Amino acid sequence: FSTPSLLPSLLSDFGKLNESSVLRRYSPFYEVTEDDKHFQLSVDVPGVRAQDMNVQLEHGGRVLRLWGERKIVRGNAASETKFEKSFTIDRSVDSDKITANLADGVLVVTAPKNPEHVNVKKIPITQGPAPGLLKGSRL
C-alpha cells in the first residue's frame, strides 16, 4: 500500500488557521499483542474523545484505519493535533467481530481470530523420482 502524502492536506489546513492557532500532526505510540484467540492493538491517544476519533476497515477488510484529532482552546488561542494510522489485518482475523474501546487515553482494538482459519499448514515431503524441472531451471 502506498502512503498518501500529508503535504497537500497540511498546507490546506494551514490556510484555515489564524495567527493564534497551532496545527500539529503526530503518529501515536502503539503496541500490537497476540494470543491464541485474539490480536490486540493498543494506541495512546491522550486527550482525544471517542467522538473525535474514527476506526474503520478498508480495502476489503484487510486494512484497519484509525484517525482523529484533539482540539484545545484557551482564550483566543487554539491548538489542534491530528493523527492517522493504518494497519494491515492478518487473514486469520474475523473482521465482523472487531471491537474498539477508549478508556483513560488508550484506544484498544480487539480482533478475534477465526478458529476455522489455518495459520500453519504442514506440507508433506514425498520421496521418489523427482518431478521434471521447469524450463530455465539450473539445478
Side-chain angles (χ1 to χ4, degrees):
F1 299 98
S2 64
T3 304
S5 172
L6 293 178
L7 189 56
S9 63
L10 183 61
L11 292 176
S12 65
D13 286 339
F14 276 130
K16 298 175 190 172
L17 300 175
N18 61 42
E19 57 193 47
S20 63
S21 298
V22 176
L23 172 67
R24 295 181 183 98
R25 294 198 183 267
Y26 79 104
S27 181
F29 175 78
Y30 66 90
E31 178 180 55
V32 178
T33 55
E34 176 184 6
D35 65 18
D36 293 349
K37 297 182 181 183
H38 302 89
F39 288 98
Q40 196 166 66
L41 169 65
S42 302
V43 184
D44 287 343
V45 288
V48 179
R49 301 175 308 169
Q51 61 264 34
D52 295 330
M53 195 175 339
N54 294 285
V55 178
Q56 68 185 32
L57 286 174
E58 298 177 347
H59 300 284
R62 301 288 28 115
V63 175
L64 178 79
R65 180 174 165 239
L66 60 98
W67 72 97
E69 62 186 8
R70 176 181 60 218
K71 295 179 184 177
I72 299 172
V73 178
R74 290 193 181 118
N76 62 350
S79 172
E80 183 175 339
T81 304
K82 293 185 176 188
F83 65 91
E84 181 175 345
K85 196 77 180 161
S86 294
F87 301 88
T88 302
I89 300 294
D90 190 87
R91 295 198 184 280
S92 66
V93 167
D94 187 346
S95 60
D96 292 332
K97 296 182 180 174
I98 294 175
T99 60
N101 183 68
L102 178 64
D104 299 324
V106 178
L107 174 70
V108 178
V109 179
T110 303
K113 294 179 181 180
N114 185 340
E116 297 175 10
H117 189 276
V118 178
N119 284 327
V120 178
K121 179 181 177 185
K122 184 162 176 74
I123 299 172
I125 300 172
T126 60
Q127 195 168 0
L133 296 175
L134 300 174
K135 288 185 180 184
S137 182
R138 295 185 177 187
L139 290 179

